[in-house]
Amino acid sequence: MSTGPAFKRLPRAVREQQMLDSAVRVFSRRGYHGASMDEIAEVAGISKPMVYAYLGTKEELFVACLHRESTRMMEAIAGAAAPDLPADERLWRALRAFFGFVGAHRDGWAVLYRQARAEQPFAQELAVMRARLVEVVAGMLDHALRAEGHEVTGGELELVAYALVGASESLADWLAAHPEADPEKTATRMMNVAWLGAEQLLHGVTWHPPER
């Protein structure tokens, strides 16, 4: 009789998601260099050769984790921020979806925000994800401004979008480190910071340095 491990047969897509779940968990705790394919396979309850056969090398597996987590996050935001909503509600729903994702996928956020940006081979992947997020936020601001009869240059919108994304990322990293924190309350805090300033911009109010 065979004494080798017996693996339950699952559809390939289900098995891949199981492997990615395990990989995200291990990468978030160990970092890219500290994580081993042996541990990932053990956490997934499968053989190491199966991990290689399905998802390739450790580098390819890490990239697959980045793609999955960033796609999940962007889909959550896009699904919440319907274009026909009022500007403030649209931004609020986008923030709530973003912080809700971080609260529900703290390991995934750790891989995206902490691990990827520290490793050169993966920093570009993170830069692409951030550029997509900035584009979405800039689009929401542009839509809101046009609805108010104002127009802002693309460069200005991009700068404001980068500032909002950067602030949201920092607050999201705090949220990920505090499991007791409420994602919706965190989103409300960010909304107050973002919208009180954005609302002034929508009405053409800007701050200028004092003349000396």
Side-chain angles (χ1 to χ4, degrees):
M1 293 178 65
S2 172
T3 58
F7 300 112
K8 182 180 178 181
R9 289 190 177 277
L10 293 172
R12 183 183 181 92
V14 174
R15 181 68 78 188
E16 285 183 357
Q17 292 306 309
Q18 182 185 57
M19 293 179 193
L20 289 171
D21 287 341
S22 301
V24 165
R25 195 174 309 132
V26 174
F27 283 133
S28 72
R29 295 172 186 173
R30 309 285 190 200
Y32 175 72
H33 293 294
S36 71
M37 296 294 270
D38 288 297
E39 184 177 3
I40 291 168
E42 182 181 351
V43 171
I46 59 175
S47 66
K48 185 167 73 170
M50 187 179 287
V51 178
Y52 282 109
Y54 274 62
L55 294 166
T57 64
K58 186 167 85 166
E59 181 174 328
E60 290 171 326
L61 176 57
F62 192 84
V63 170
C65 290
L66 291 181
H67 285 171
R68 190 189 72 167
E69 297 307 304
S70 65
T71 298
R72 280 179 167 181
M73 184 178 72
M74 293 302 298
E75 286 178 348
I77 294 170
D84 58 338
L85 293 170
D88 59 339
E89 187 177 352
R90 191 180 183 201
L91 181 58
W92 153 243
R93 289 196 183 195
L95 287 170
R96 186 173 63 177
F98 172 66
F99 287 106
F101 169 85
V102 175
H105 302 91
R106 283 179 165 85
D107 286 344
W109 177 255
V111 171
L112 282 172
Y113 191 74
R114 297 177 186 169
Q115 307 299 341
R117 68 177 183 169
E119 302 293 339
Q120 263 313 310
F122 314 116
Q124 184 57 35
E125 298 286 341
L126 182 61
V128 170
M129 179 201 76
R130 174 178 279 181
R132 288 171 59 204
L133 196 53
V134 166
E135 186 178 355
V136 169
V137 173
M140 284 193 286
L141 292 174
D142 185 49
H143 182 270
L145 284 165
R146 290 180 186 278
E148 291 283 333
H150 299 292
E151 216 171 307
V152 177
T153 65
E156 286 295 321
L157 280 175
E158 186 178 24
L159 286 174
V160 173
Y162 265 109
L164 290 177
V165 168
S168 296
E169 286 176 340
S170 295
L171 194 53
D173 202 43
W174 173 87
L175 174 66
H178 293 79
E180 75 286 356
D182 182 355
E184 185 153 337
K185 287 183 179 178
T186 306
T188 302
R189 292 188 180 104
M190 187 64 224
M191 182 64 185
N192 277 299
V193 171
W195 186 251
L196 292 179
E199 188 177 31
Q200 296 297 307
L201 179 65
L202 291 178
H203 290 90
V205 179
T206 56
W207 180 85
H208 299 280
E211 294 184 5
R212 300 295 185 189

